[in-house]
Amino acid sequence: AQKVKEVGANLGLCFDGDADRLIAIDDNGEVINGDLLIGLLAKFLKDRNELGPANEVVGTVMSNLGLENYLKSNSIGFHRTNVGDRYIIERMRESGALFGGENSGHLIFGKYATTGDGIIAALKLIECAYYYQDKLKDLIRDIELYPQVLINVKVKNKKPFEEVASIQQELKAIEAQLGDEGRVLLRYSGTEHLARVMIEGKNKNLVDSSAKKLADVVKAALD
């Protein structure tokens, strides 16, 4: 981001060590995360008739609700899988979808590869900017991601959440408050004694307070 501003670049491209993930930087030096890239590239593929007959984008349970709503507003189907690009790929094979990805920057273009590839994603992003003849910051302007809070709670046992009355009671209360403008995700880590509390919604104050309340209830019930 600093280098983009320093040299006055139009675009910055960031890869992880094995280059299977991409995060982009716009000309203001602002970080453009995976969900924003998925929304932009999905619209690009649809406009180019490259989404295929499935007309579906595959994300995960962690994909932002704002991304899902943006895709729906563009008449693009959206399917959520468990976290992990292997689950995304499984769904793509099942449904015939040609595009999927995660907020981390794993972007999978089924026409060209069978896994996430940051180089392919970068080339498609450049092609997208050239196609629309616009700057990245302007291309993502209509994608409104919702505030999202993730709290990791240490637990002593991983009792099924649906069997804990206090957690279920708090879940229902929060879901009622959020309505259609938010969602709650509660899951255990696969490798650690952690419960992951994720809440997102349009109202940031409500999201923040609700996440803390639910995390406190989970800790009290499972510590």
Side-chain angles (χ1 to χ4, degrees):
Q2 291 174 348
K3 197 67 175 179
V4 165
K5 291 196 291 185
E6 180 185 320
V7 303
N10 295 103
L11 176 67
L13 303 168
C14 313
F15 308 99
D16 63 338
D18 58 355
D20 67 345
R21 287 181 287 173
L22 168 72
I23 296 296
I25 310 294
D26 71 15
D27 62 311
N28 284 338
E30 296 295 325
V31 176
I32 310 301
N33 69 28
D35 279 348
L36 289 170
L37 293 178
I38 291 168
L40 170 58
L41 289 166
K43 183 179 185 302
F44 169 61
L45 293 174
K46 183 177 177 64
D47 288 348
R48 291 279 299 267
N49 295 314
E50 293 181 13
L51 271 184
N55 189 44
E56 177 184 276
V57 172
V58 183
T60 75
V61 292
M62 294 301 292
S63 298
N64 196 281
L65 182 60
L67 168 63
E68 181 175 358
N69 289 341
Y70 174 76
L71 294 175
K72 286 180 178 178
S73 72
N74 283 278
S75 301
I76 298 172
F78 185 68
H79 182 88
R80 294 179 184 271
T81 71
N82 290 329
V83 174
D85 57 338
R86 71 186 183 95
Y87 296 110
I88 294 174
I89 292 164
E90 284 176 8
R91 171 63 188 184
M92 289 172 67
R93 287 172 177 161
E94 288 173 6
S95 69
L98 295 178
F99 183 53
E102 297 181 278
N103 185 52
S104 62
H106 271 129
L107 303 177
I108 304 161
F109 293 84
K111 183 179 177 181
Y112 306 102
T114 56
T115 187
D117 189 311
I119 305 299
I120 291 176
L123 291 170
K124 295 302 286 185
L125 182 62
I126 293 169
E127 183 184 9
C128 170
Y130 181 78
Y131 177 80
Y132 291 118
Q133 290 291 296
D134 212 343
K135 293 183 177 180
L136 187 57
K137 65 186 177 188
D138 295 320
L139 290 173
I140 62 168
R141 186 169 289 161
D142 293 335
I143 309 173
E144 180 190 357
L145 297 187
Y146 292 178
Q148 185 182 90
V149 173
L150 174 64
I151 300 176
N152 291 319
V153 182
K154 288 185 178 181
V155 296
K156 289 182 179 177
N157 65 83
K158 295 183 178 181
K159 187 175 182 179
F161 296 120
E162 59 270 18
E163 295 180 9
V164 184
S166 59
I167 293 176
Q168 289 304 304
Q169 182 178 351
E170 189 62 32
L171 265 175
K172 290 177 182 177
I174 291 172
E175 287 173 343
Q177 281 186 299
L178 292 172
D180 295 332
E181 295 187 344
R183 68 187 185 101
V184 183
L185 177 66
L186 189 57
R187 66 186 183 93
Y188 287 116
S189 165
T191 57
E192 302 174 86
H193 281 280
L194 294 175
R196 305 197 191 281
V197 177
M198 191 281 285
I199 298 182
E200 63 185 13
K202 281 191 172 183
N203 186 323
K204 187 179 186 305
N205 290 334
L206 178 59
V207 167
D208 289 340
S209 62
S210 296
K212 186 178 184 308
K213 282 182 186 177
L214 184 55
D216 289 343
V217 170
V218 169
K219 182 173 180 59
L222 300 174
D223 191 6

